[in-house]
Amino acid sequence: MKQVLENWKASLHAPHQALQGGGYSLVLTAVVLAILVVLNVLVSALPTTLTKYDMSATQLYSITSNTKVVVNALEEDVTIYWVVQSGEENDVIENLLDKYESLSDHIKVVKKNPDVYPTFTQQYTDETVSNNSLIVECGDRSRYVPYEDIYVQELDVYTYSTTTSFDGEGAITSAIDYVVSDELPKLYFVEGHGEADLPAGFTEQIEKENMETDTLSLLTVDEIPEDADCLVIYGPTSDISTQERDLLSDYTQNGGKLLVMAGSTQDGTLTNLYTLLEEYGVKPVDGIVVEQDREHYAIGYPYLVMPELSSHDITDALVEEGYHPIFSLAQGLTTSESTSSAVTTLLTTSDTSFSKAAGFDLTTYEKEEGDTDGPFALGVSIDTGNDGQMVWFSSSDYLTDVCNAYSSGANLDLTMNALADLIGEREAIAIRSKSLDYNYLTISDSVASLLKTVMIGVFPLVYLGVGIGVMVRRKQVQHEAV
């Protein structure tokens, strides 16, 4: 009877204890939920640079140190107008714009729906503006960045297919650098000697990297303009005069910067032009350079030379990334032990190379009598004194869009690195686009058959065996318990 009473008393307290335990659980749950809400609010307030991580192979969602330097140095407010219809926002562009906005209080991103503001873009450009295009503005300066400059499509000369790359960071940082810069580097392109037309890719890259350009006839001036940061000679087909040569020599020896891209010509040699090199012990060799080493020429053509790269600020980035410039119709340069210490060789052919004296009239890639043995320099950098400098590439054909495509853009990168070295490196320069093409894994038929057998046959049987083993073990445990 006593035990029954005790059980009855306990049953009276049980609901109270259950209610008390439930109340504790409810309070604890509410506290945890409150903490989670607060944490969620705090995390959402953090910049995207701290909450999102880039796991893509090409670092598609990351920005480089170059951009961070440009953005962190801002002293004026920059507005990035994102022209996009509601629901058509590109996720990659949105992520990138969030990163820019989180890096600096001076950057503000504003969406402009063309359906709501149909005439907004007309004050900045006459072009038809597509969705996800951008307009970067600071004060009275602005730059229109079309969607086509963010997602760049190019023809692959090997496969005749279209490749796509993402150049959002390069385009945006270049635009920011442009709108906040009062003075931009100025290049003068020398004319009057049958110079070749500038390749489209080269022209576009110069514009992207915010370099102003103008032409200059050396016959009509007594001195190089003071605002010239660098003179460029590209693809001359006839020689300069002795007066022009003296003007260039004085210019470079008094702190001027000169970039020359000149190779063999069909109608003679560029004697006066090359005397600029001979002052420093560098001499040209008549003809066109041909390689015999298969490792040093491209796609089966011995005149498409792939030179070795020496260590220099101009070439180091290419070496690190494993890129190989390809020089076509190049003229060999020779240096000797007596060559000035101011000369740095940038590109060198192999020991088996030689120069075909026949030049453009060559009929064979075999070495003949009169041909000159290599190796040769195809690019040099020369310290001309008083902070002057010359960078000389002994070809102009290497920069054409076709030849540049053969090198996967390395030729253009090499040239832009040379300009950066001449005028002084700027942080907005050399932000390269990121490929969006997939890299496919190619396997043989035998490996494919083995993988099919393993995935379709072996793995399922293993899983089935493990399952049967677990079931048998459980039954044994239950039997032992009984």
Side-chain angles (χ1 to χ4, degrees):
M1 185 67 180
K2 183 178 180 181
Q3 182 64 37
V4 172
L5 290 175
E6 289 179 355
N7 291 340
W8 178 73
K9 290 180 181 180
S11 65
L12 291 177
H13 289 287
H16 176 71
Q17 292 175 347
L19 181 62
Q20 188 178 34
Y24 288 150
S25 297
L26 183 62
V27 172
L28 182 61
T29 301
V31 171
V32 172
L33 288 175
I35 293 174
L36 291 175
V37 170
V38 172
L39 287 175
N40 188 58
V41 171
L42 292 176
V43 171
S44 64
L46 293 174
T48 55
T49 53
L50 299 178
T51 59
K52 294 182 179 180
Y53 298 93
D54 189 355
M55 303 294 289
S56 60
T58 59
Q59 295 295 291
L60 182 63
Y61 302 96
S62 301
I63 56 178
T64 63
S65 59
N66 302 62
T67 290
K68 293 176 182 178
V69 170
V70 172
V71 171
N72 291 335
L74 290 176
E75 297 179 354
E76 301 174 89
D77 292 338
V78 174
T79 303
I80 302 176
Y81 293 107
W82 185 10
V83 183
V84 61
Q85 293 173 309
S86 178
E88 297 296 327
E89 295 87 353
N90 180 277
D91 292 339
V92 179
I93 294 177
E94 183 174 21
N95 183 283
L96 184 62
L97 291 175
D98 286 344
K99 290 184 180 297
Y100 274 90
E101 198 168 25
S102 65
L103 281 176
S104 174
D105 293 335
H106 288 290
I107 294 181
K108 181 180 181 182
V109 177
V110 178
K111 279 187 183 181
K112 286 293 183 179
N113 189 331
D115 294 334
V116 180
Y117 304 95
T119 62
F120 172 75
T121 61
Q122 294 177 8
Q123 59 186 307
Y124 300 101
T125 179
D126 295 331
E127 299 181 35
T128 301
V129 178
S130 55
N131 265 328
N132 290 294
S133 295
L134 306 172
I135 296 171
V136 181
E137 181 183 55
C138 178
D140 297 331
R141 294 173 69 88
S142 65
R143 172 172 284 183
Y144 166 54
V145 182
Y147 177 79
E148 294 74 21
D149 286 353
I150 298 175
Y151 283 91
V152 182
Q153 292 189 333
E154 297 178 322
L155 178 66
D156 188 326
V157 296
Y158 292 106
T159 63
Y160 295 100
S161 60
T162 301
T163 61
T164 303
S165 59
F166 181 75
D167 196 24
E169 183 191 357
I172 296 173
T173 300
S174 174
I176 293 174
D177 181 64
Y178 172 77
V179 298
V180 301
S181 299
D182 294 327
E183 296 183 3
L184 299 174
K186 188 160 188 179
L187 310 180
Y188 279 92
F189 287 86
V190 176
E191 63 178 2
H193 313 92
E195 286 82 3
D197 293 333
L198 295 177
F202 184 39
T203 303
E204 292 171 2
Q205 194 66 29
I206 288 175
E207 180 181 353
K208 173 187 172 183
E209 298 186 3
N210 299 327
M211 299 180 185
E212 296 182 343
T213 62
D214 203 348
T215 57
L216 176 67
S217 172
L218 298 176
L219 293 173
T220 61
V221 296
D222 296 325
E223 59 182 15
I224 307 301
E226 292 184 0
D227 64 343
D229 290 286
C230 182
L231 294 188
V232 181
I233 299 177
Y234 177 74
T237 55
S238 61
D239 201 8
I240 62 175
S241 66
T242 55
Q243 291 83 359
E244 292 172 297
R245 182 258 176 221
D246 293 339
L247 185 62
L248 290 173
S249 180
D250 292 341
Y251 169 68
T252 54
Q253 292 177 8
N254 287 282
K257 314 291 186 178
L258 176 64
L259 172 63
V260 179
M261 293 165 279
S264 298
T265 60
Q266 290 181 322
D267 301 323
T269 58
L270 307 174
T271 304
N272 290 329
L273 180 62
Y274 272 98
T275 56
L276 291 170
L277 285 178
E278 292 176 5
E279 293 184 30
Y280 303 94
V282 181
K283 297 182 179 180
V285 177
D286 290 339
I288 293 175
V289 175
V290 173
E291 276 283 4
Q292 296 184 85
D293 184 356
R294 185 63 183 85
E295 297 296 322
H296 287 86
Y297 65 86
I299 60 176
Y301 294 99
Y303 68 88
L304 294 179
V305 180
M306 297 174 59
E308 296 287 343
L309 277 66
S310 303
S311 179
H312 190 277
D313 289 341
I314 296 175
T315 56
D316 284 346
L318 297 177
V319 174
E320 291 173 5
E321 297 295 330
Y323 282 102
H324 299 282
I326 297 175
F327 273 51
S328 62
L329 305 179
Q331 185 167 14
L333 304 175
T334 61
T335 59
S336 62
E337 295 181 359
S338 60
T339 297
S340 170
S341 60
V343 178
T344 301
T345 300
L346 303 175
L347 309 167
T348 310
T349 64
S350 73
D351 293 338
T352 61
S353 64
F354 59 91
S355 181
K356 293 290 296 182
F360 286 89
D361 297 323
L362 65 85
T363 57
T364 177
Y365 295 128
E366 299 297 326
K367 186 179 178 183
E368 300 175 302
E369 185 177 354
D371 295 341
T372 306
D373 290 327
F376 306 106
L378 300 185
V380 294
S381 176
I382 302 176
D383 180 359
T384 57
N386 298 315
D387 201 33
Q389 183 183 1
M390 285 193 298
V391 175
W392 201 295
F393 297 122
S394 60
S395 169
S396 59
D397 193 67
Y398 85 99
L399 196 53
T400 60
D401 293 332
V402 172
C403 196
N404 181 58
Y406 287 146
S407 70
S408 299
N411 292 354
L412 181 56
D413 285 352
L414 176 70
T415 308
M416 299 311 298
N417 290 348
L419 280 175
D421 192 61
L422 287 164
I423 66 176
E425 182 66 65
R426 302 171 67 247
E427 296 300 337
I429 289 179
I431 299 176
R432 300 298 180 238
S433 58
K434 301 169 184 179
S435 176
L436 298 179
D437 295 324
Y438 294 101
N439 294 320
Y440 294 98
L441 175 63
T442 302
I443 58 177
S444 64
D445 290 340
S446 59
V447 174
S449 299
L450 176 61
L451 289 176
K452 288 179 182 178
T453 302
V454 171
M455 300 300 292
I456 298 175
V458 176
F459 281 177
L461 290 176
V462 170
Y463 293 150
L464 180 61
V466 171
I468 293 174
V470 170
M471 292 178 63
V472 171
R473 177 59 182 165
R474 285 180 178 176
K475 289 184 177 181
Q476 290 178 346
V477 171
Q478 291 175 355
H479 180 71
E480 292 174 355
V482 174

